Amino acid sequence: MIEYCMKFLELLNQTGLIAAHRGARSIAPENTLIALKKSLGKCDFIEIDVQLSRDGAAIVMHDDTLERTTNVTEIERFKSRKPYRVCDFTLEELRALDYGSWFYKDKNHKEPLLTLRGSLEFIKENNIFLNIEIKDMSGVLGDDVAVEAVVKEIKESDAQELVLLSSFRHEYLKLAKEKLPDVPTAALVEGKHPHRLIKYLMELGASGYTLNDELVDKQTVMMLREAGFFVGVYTVNDSARAKELFSMGVNCIFSDSLEKRGSFL
Ligand code: G3P
Ligand code: MG
């Protein structure tokens, strides 16, 4: 595996790390600036989900559609826009929505759209690492367009040293490695491991492997660690399970429950 002199990678090679999954998701609306702010001091790094608006802006949002985490269904001019896919809305339209009141159940508690640029400014100001998960947009966009939009933001923000790129769409990781060779990447998986896992990760140029909790077994964790890859597990909110995973050698867990951090170790 290629050796990178990156600070984030040095951190990721430690164990007992907690990633704030979508920000401090249990106490703030996920993937918003307030969720990032509330993560500070409670995690080792923050994870966000990124996708592109119709006009190509990199924005922070988990779901493919806007219904769950915005007030889109309440806005008259958007009534005809079902199923409210993120990729069908322009940046200007996305900025018109509220990302807070669904969470607080209080119509006056609004939160603005968070862009990737806004997230990068935040991590630079606060000197915290950020895992940018690039959502799979292969149904609507070419791979290069998707990756280039994210890479451009990282370069323009000069945030290369503070970010990790991950995706379930592994083609993105290959492209990202070509464009930003010094930025570490992690392959995200759920359900089943790729065939010949170590060789597969080496060919991708990935530094790490992030898998869903149900797929974890000690032997695979050991094999990955011995081969020099860091191992992340999502989503872990139970203290006993967190301890068990760390004792297997897992480097980091992605958790919604940052308030339990002390009991995870
Ligand atoms: O990056 C780990 C985790 O965020 C992957 O799942 O669906 O929460 O983005 P999801
Ligand atoms: Mg994610």
Side-chain angles (χ1 to χ4, degrees):
M1 196 175 105
I2 310 161
E3 288 296 326
Y4 301 101
C5 301
M6 300 301 296
K7 284 190 242 157
F8 200 166
L9 210 46
E10 279 169 28
L11 175 77
L12 288 164
N13 281 319
Q14 297 173 24
T15 186
L17 303 171
I18 315 290
H21 184 227
R22 308 183 202 171
R25 189 172 175 233
S26 65
I27 51 171
E30 65 186 50
N31 285 324
T32 63
L33 187 59
I34 188 72
L36 268 53
K37 285 183 181 162
K38 292 203 173 189
S39 306
L40 293 176
K42 301 188 193 77
C43 65
D44 297 288
F45 65 96
I46 299 170
E47 184 260 0
I48 57 169
D49 307 289
V50 167
Q51 51 187 307
L52 302 196
S53 66
R54 183 170 142 195
D55 48 348
I59 64 107
V60 183
M61 162 83 52
H62 179 270
D63 296 4
D64 299 341
T65 61
L66 296 161
E67 211 160 348
R68 184 178 63 88
T69 59
T70 78
N71 65 340
V72 69
T73 57
E74 293 160 25
I75 311 275
E76 198 51 47
R77 70 176 164 125
F78 296 142
K79 286 260 155 79
S80 61
R81 303 282 289 276
K82 260 185 167 173
Y84 312 114
R85 295 192 312 167
V86 176
C87 61
D88 291 335
F89 283 69
T90 64
L91 178 62
E92 193 195 354
E93 289 171 333
L94 292 171
R95 283 200 197 279
L97 301 175
D98 163 39
Y99 297 77
S101 50
W102 70 273
F103 179 83
Y104 296 111
K105 313 270 186 270
D106 169 2
K107 297 277 172 265
N108 297 317
H109 207 145
K110 297 191 187 319
E111 295 297 340
L113 172 74
L114 180 60
T115 58
L116 175 56
R117 181 61 67 102
S119 312
L120 294 169
E121 281 166 10
F122 175 83
I123 59 157
K124 286 198 78 176
E125 277 162 24
N126 293 283
N127 200 27
I128 179 129
F129 293 113
L130 181 70
N131 178 181
I132 302 167
E133 178 188 339
I134 313 175
K135 302 307 289 185
D136 185 348
M137 294 168 277
S138 53
V140 276
L141 283 176
D143 291 348
D144 196 65
V145 175
V147 175
E148 187 53 36
V150 173
V151 166
K152 181 171 167 279
E153 295 291 328
I154 296 169
K155 281 187 180 164
E156 285 179 8
S157 307
D158 195 19
Q160 291 90 329
E161 294 224 341
L162 290 175
V163 297
L164 161 73
L165 291 171
S166 64
S167 187
F168 286 103
R169 183 158 177 85
H170 300 163
E171 287 85 345
Y172 290 169
L173 305 178
K174 244 185 181 162
L175 284 169
K177 202 37 84 182
E178 286 167 19
K179 294 170 190 282
L180 289 173
D182 290 338
V183 167
T185 60
L188 283 173
V189 292
E190 69 176 336
K192 82 187 224 300
H193 300 295
H195 182 57
R196 300 185 69 188
L197 180 56
I198 300 296
K199 184 169 180 279
Y200 181 84
L201 293 175
M202 285 174 112
E203 283 171 3
L204 275 185
S207 302
Y209 188 64
T210 300
L211 66 168
N212 61 312
D213 193 8
E214 294 73 21
L215 196 57
V216 180
D217 68 88
K218 192 174 177 181
Q219 216 178 351
T220 307
V221 174
M222 277 168 55
M223 178 182 77
L224 286 158
R225 295 295 313 278
E226 275 165 20
F229 296 96
F230 73 83
V231 179
V233 179
Y234 65 92
T235 305
V236 183
N237 296 320
D238 178 74
S239 306
R241 182 60 178 159
K243 284 194 177 89
E244 195 176 10
L245 290 166
F246 288 139
S247 75
M248 285 183 202
V250 164
N251 299 88
C252 60
I253 59 165
F254 292 74
S255 182
D256 304 321
S257 306
L258 302 183
E259 68 285 356
K260 291 191 194 164
R261 188 186 183 207
S263 66
F264 285 163
L265 301 168

